[in-house]
Amino acid sequence: MEIQDLNGIGLALTFNLAAIAMIAATRIMQLVLARDGTVDRPATDVVAADQLPMLEALQVHLEGKTAKQKNPHAKHSIDWLAWIIGKHPAKTARGSFSAQAA
């Protein structure tokens, strides 16, 4: 998208679109940096607090029986969240998300 293409959209809408993109990019970068387990931030930096119980339930299904197959990160930390997202098999072979994969 070129800046000339935004003339018909309006300045306020363009600003909102840029703000949404920046928020999404920031959340993605937080998760990427959390993968190594050195970030000491709560998961609520990325997801809403009311989503944490659902993530806890999802974690139970993603963890295996051995210690190596369990989430090694502190509960409700951003590292904990990154582990769950990384283990979730939501993507299908075609690259789209499927509710049945959950």
Side-chain angles (χ1 to χ4, degrees):
M1 180 179 279
E2 297 291 326
I3 198 74
Q4 296 85 359
D5 299 334
L6 301 176
N7 285 339
I9 295 177
L11 189 57
L13 189 57
T14 304
F15 178 80
N16 289 343
L17 181 62
I20 290 168
M22 188 179 307
I23 290 168
T26 300
R27 289 181 176 180
I28 291 168
M29 285 305 303
Q30 287 173 319
L31 289 167
V32 168
L33 293 172
R35 287 188 301 194
D36 62 1
T38 59
V39 178
D40 187 24
R41 300 291 306 156
T44 53
D45 282 359
V46 179
V47 297
D50 62 346
Q51 293 176 334
L52 294 177
M54 181 271 308
L55 290 164
E56 290 174 18
L58 180 59
Q59 176 182 317
V60 171
H61 294 286
L62 297 175
E63 287 183 323
K65 296 182 186 211
T66 68
K68 285 187 175 183
Q69 295 174 328
K70 298 206 181 288
N71 190 337
H73 305 289
K75 190 174 182 180
H76 297 176
S77 68
I78 198 166
D79 314 8
W80 171 83
L81 175 62
W83 185 92
I84 293 171
I85 292 171
K87 289 287 186 180
H88 194 275
K91 291 196 82 140
T92 65
R94 295 171 57 205
S96 62
F97 285 93
S98 168
Q100 294 180 358

